[in-house]
Amino acid sequence: TELSQFALVNHQLGDYDVAADLYREGVRVMQALVGFDPENVEWRHALARDQLSLAESLAAGGNPAAAQRHFAAGKALAVALWRNDPTNAATADSVVRAYVLEAALAYEAGQVAAARPALESALEALAAAPPPNRPAVRAGLMAEARLLRGRLAQSPDAAEQEWRAGLAVLEATAPDG
């Protein structure tokens, strides 16, 4: 939605409170639409994306408790949608994003034991996902997962290997120029 685009710009500029407010409004709108037509997969997926984006903005803005609530709602919806249609690449990307976000939130909270299985779930979902509609988005998710895996590595060699793999994905998909 347009609200999501405005929210994303604010998030990227570091104005997390404004981004969160815009994502909240987007969630409210999408909840109303889904309430009107609960079978509409596109609206349900947009709701899941907005919930996950709201969680990211809340976490970046220093509100991990609120972030966790929205994250859980977005993840549950994305996983349910993907289970119903495992051929949907966009939904698969949302599931991967949810697991990466779960791992990042756990890592930032110092819960390394919880971060590892979430990250492995992200990588498993990436492996099972159908070919991407938007290769750059998929590459970004893969790079983010590999970089986080490097932070969680238990040995310096394993960490360096994961970091190099994540950076290689980023470099391979960077636009020329």
Side-chain angles (χ1 to χ4, degrees), residues 45-118:
H45 184 229
L47 175 57
R49 280 194 321 259
D50 282 356
Q51 290 277 20
L52 293 171
S53 296
L54 175 54
E56 286 180 300
S57 289
L58 289 167
N63 192 344
Q68 186 60 38
R69 285 191 307 275
H70 290 283
F71 159 74
K75 177 185 167 190
L77 185 51
V79 168
L81 287 167
W82 194 35
R83 282 190 182 134
N84 287 335
D85 183 5
T87 64
N88 186 319
T91 304
D93 288 345
S94 290
V95 169
V96 172
R97 180 175 171 219
Y99 283 124
V100 169
L101 179 57
E102 179 180 23
L105 288 172
Y107 178 80
E108 295 300 324
Q111 300 168 347
V112 175
R116 282 193 179 97

